Amino acid sequence: MIEPDLTEEARRLFAGRVEFLKSAPALKFLPEPDLPEIAFCGRSNVGKSSLLNALAGRKSIARASVTPGRTQELNFFEVGDPVVVRLVDMPGYGFAKAPLKIVEQWRRLIRDYLRGRQVLKRTLLLVDSRHGIKSVDAEMMKMLDESAVGYRIVLTKADKVKASELEDVIQRTEAEARKHPAAYPQLHVTSADTKLGMEELRAAVLADAQL
Ligand code: GDP
């Protein structure tokens, strides 16, 4: 349970300063590890940019959709003044046609970041409500399981499926989450369009940042 006080604090926090800090194409470009980080990952097109924008209550802090050639970077955003947490937009995965070399680069960057980043408090794994957990997500969960950082599963685009289908994907995804000790047992069901689940997710991010 998230406390009402925290919900209000989170609302105020995200209504304030949220700004792009930098892109890191390799570990040596990461910001100083002096503030808590919460990372967001998921398949390309899962709705990650839209979710980040909805969390921040604005239209374009995160670029919606992929900019060619800039897909293999960790993008950092700062929240709060003074900064309370950094949000880390991880490169989307699951391009059907990505060359092996790019996939390998992606894997190395993500794995090294997840393993070595002491200020990383939690990762949010975004899963499209229409699709549920796919094999590429399962691969990501494996990397997360090995990283010793807990993760939350966030269903995106909940407005795109019927209530009965949503119930079904929630059941299936929760059953899958229970098999992963590093996965938080409760899902977040969200829509960037209707803002479903945003208040709770902001509070969860703040709670995780305070871990
Ligand atoms: P990213 O590649 O993961 O950053 O995904 P984007 O945020 O660019 O979203 C991919 C597509 O899904 C875009 O066409 C968005 O408009 C759409 N989309 C994202 N979130 C939602 C949502 O909550 N509801 C609906 N209906 N569409 C969404």
Side-chain angles (χ1 to χ4, degrees):
M1 259 310 273
I2 305 244
E3 293 161 31
D5 281 0
L6 197 65
T7 306
E8 177 54 19
E9 192 184 336
R11 189 194 64 73
R12 262 192 265 135
L13 177 66
F14 279 90
R17 178 176 176 270
V18 182
E19 254 174 50
F20 175 74
L21 173 66
K22 68 183 301 191
S23 287
L27 291 189
K28 63 178 176 190
F29 299 108
L30 294 180
E32 285 297 311
D34 51 4
L35 287 162
E37 291 172 358
I38 307 290
F40 293 70
C41 66
R43 300 172 70 199
S44 320
N45 214 39
V46 70
K48 187 154 50 65
S49 311
S50 305
L51 185 83
L52 283 163
N53 289 332
L55 267 185
R58 42 212 100 180
K59 288 211 169 72
S60 61
I61 56 150
R63 273 179 296 258
S65 264
V66 180
T67 312
R70 300 202 55 153
T71 55
Q72 302 299 313
E73 298 174 341
L74 298 163
N75 291 306
F76 289 80
F77 299 88
E78 293 191 327
V79 186
D81 186 10
V83 182
V84 170
V85 59
R86 289 194 180 123
L87 307 182
V88 187
D89 182 6
M90 295 168 86
Y93 51 81
F95 288 105
K97 295 194 202 90
L100 205 58
K101 193 168 150 252
I102 299 288
V103 176
E104 255 321 303
Q105 264 174 18
W106 173 86
R107 209 189 303 273
R108 189 167 322 133
L109 176 66
I110 300 302
R111 197 189 44 215
D112 292 350
Y113 170 74
L114 289 174
R115 283 202 183 153
R117 196 70 172 166
Q118 301 231 333
V119 290
L120 178 63
K121 302 291 183 177
R122 188 87 79 191
T123 301
L124 272 53
L125 172 67
L126 277 49
V127 173
D128 194 316
S129 295
R130 295 170 301 176
H131 308 309
I133 292 174
K134 297 281 198 185
S135 57
V136 280
D137 299 313
E139 204 183 313
M140 185 75 219
M141 288 169 87
K142 191 161 172 276
M143 285 171 74
L144 290 168
D145 287 335
E146 288 165 2
S147 76
V149 176
Y151 55 100
R152 294 178 185 269
I153 301 176
V154 178
L155 290 181
T156 61
K157 309 187 192 180
D159 62 288
K160 286 238 187 189
V161 295
K162 283 190 280 190
S164 57
E165 289 169 41
L166 186 60
E167 206 38 59
D168 187 52
V169 76
I170 291 171
Q171 297 291 335
R172 280 189 286 125
T173 312
E174 279 186 343
E176 192 56 41
R178 280 195 290 273
K179 296 186 203 159
H180 295 262
Y184 201 80
Q186 232 173 342
L187 304 186
H188 290 265
V189 181
T190 69
S191 162
D193 273 24
T194 68
K195 314 292 182 253
L196 174 75
M198 284 308 133
E199 198 174 67
E200 292 82 356
L201 197 59
R202 283 185 201 114
V205 165
L206 179 57
D208 290 347
Q210 293 172 348
L211 283 176

